[in-house]
Amino acid sequence: MFAMSQSKALISGITGQDGSYLAEFLLGKGYEVHGIVRRVAIEDPEHRLARLDAIRSRIKLHAASLESYASIHQVVANVRPDECYHLAAQSFVSYSFDDEFSTLNANINGTHYMLAAVKNVVPQCRFYFAGSSEMFGKAEEVPQNERTRFHPRSTYGISKVAGFELTRNYREAYGLHGSNGILFNHESPRRGYEFVTRKITSGVARVVAGRSSELRLGNLDAKRDWGHAREYVEAMWLMLQQEQPDDYVIATGETHTVREFVELAFGLAGLNYRDYVAPDPELFRPAEVNVLLGDASRAKEKLGWSPRTGFEALVREMVEADCRLLGVEPKVRARVG
Ligand code: F7E
């Protein structure tokens, strides 16, 4: 299926937003792309492999579980990758308050198993860990950079700090070429519906389609630094092309409230969000991360990476895509405000 000389990449979490963009990007670079998926995904391809539809015949999927070292070890031994991108995780912060145990188990052990398998089987393999701005949590400075102290506010954030430290430890203790990306929020039409941006843009589309007249949301005052996922996966690859492994903040350097996102998304469809958005106290988190704003200067300087898609273009692309999915004209306005 694949030529002998190609570099091999192994992606955990390949079925997700980032995994699917990364797989496409690596195929474009000539990589042989392998992905780790849960067995249920292979059994239900229509739903669970939907983001990979366009490239399904060009990648190789392997069934394994992040809860089983033996299964991860076996995939790594079969593939013998040159680069490994560990993206798989329980990534919904809200859910981590409902099930702390499975979030910590899957995210911490899963990362540990991936690292251990790579170290034991292919120690020269370059490793990427998907760290998160949620590690900063109740950040003590704005903007946040690679030297900002971590103060996570959820078991999700705590699990990412553990993964970050494990990766750094494997780098220092065993000489692994392991890099941590500290990625701020990154979105796209492929974002899962449970995250606030997609919940909003799909909600706008449902209103435009006449299928709904209300969107229930939690904290509208939280501020996030939102970029485009397609560009963020390029930064992951760039990190692994460096001679030395390192840790990098990946962000746009702009922050907006959830309210601004809602206002713009409804506004782009010619609607006033106040007519549709209903507050729901149940959707507030027990501990919120109030302000995230990233300083990606190191990535710019060392990787030559900078974001290209601005806030309005991102919201517009997502609203348009969700309207198209429901077969309605987005009627997107040329410019708002
Ligand atoms: O929430 C507020 C919510 O769930 C953003 C993940 O990819 O990025 C993501 O984490 C904000 C929060 O993303 C609703 O309280 C209001 O302040 O879209 P989100 P997140 O928690 O920032 C980081 C970088 C990751 O690593 C994570 O894996 O929006 N918010 N109302 C709401 N959020 C949701 N989900 N639903 C609401 O109704």
Side-chain angles (χ1 to χ4, degrees), residues 5-6 29 38 45 59 65 73 88 104 115 142 175 191 225 284 315:
S5 58
Q6 281 175 304
K29 290 265 172 213
R38 279 175 288 191
I59 57 179
S65 164
H73 181 100
L104 290 170
L115 281 164
V142 181
R191 191 55 144 146
D225 178 330
F284 280 68
V315 179

Side-chain angles (χ1 to χ4, degrees), residues 275-294:
D275 298 332
Y276 304 95
V277 170
D280 186 343
E282 295 268 302
L283 294 170
F284 280 68
R285 296 174 182 177
E288 176 65 285
V289 170
N290 292 321
V291 186
L292 288 176
L293 173 64

Side-chain angles (χ1 to χ4, degrees), residues 17-18 89-94 130-135 156 160 182-187 191 193-200 215-226 258 280 283-285 288-290 292:
Q17 167 187 262
D18 294 4
Q90 189 304 94
S91 65
F92 188 30
V93 175
S94 263
S132 162
S133 50
E134 283 296 300
M135 301 189 299
Y156 170 79
K160 286 292 177 179
I182 308 175
L183 270 54
F184 282 60
N185 298 53
H186 43 288
E187 318 296 315
R191 191 55 144 146
Y193 287 96
E194 66 274 37
F195 298 95
V196 81
T197 56
R198 188 73 194 282
K199 184 172 172 183
I200 294 166
L215 179 63
R216 301 188 80 78
L217 291 173
N219 182 10
L220 299 184
D221 296 318
K223 294 177 112 179
R224 290 291 184 276
D225 178 330
W226 280 294
V258 174
D280 186 343
L283 294 170
F284 280 68
R285 296 174 182 177
E288 176 65 285
V289 170
N290 292 321
L292 288 176

Side-chain angles (χ1 to χ4, degrees), residues 2-3 5-9 11 20-33 55 58-59 82-83 85 230-231 233-242 303-305 308:
F2 300 116
S5 58
Q6 281 175 304
S7 285
K8 282 191 264 185
I11 306 173
S20 62
Y21 280 125
L22 179 62
E24 285 167 16
F25 176 77
L26 293 174
L27 284 172
K29 290 265 172 213
Y31 280 75
E32 179 181 312
V33 176
I55 54 168
R58 299 167 62 202
I59 57 179
D82 301 293
E83 294 176 13
Y85 297 84
R230 201 191 301 110
E231 295 161 14
V233 304
E234 293 177 21
M236 299 175 186
W237 175 77
L238 284 167
M239 287 177 215
L240 299 204
Q241 309 318 304
Q242 305 308 302
L303 307 178
W305 181 90
R308 298 186 292 274

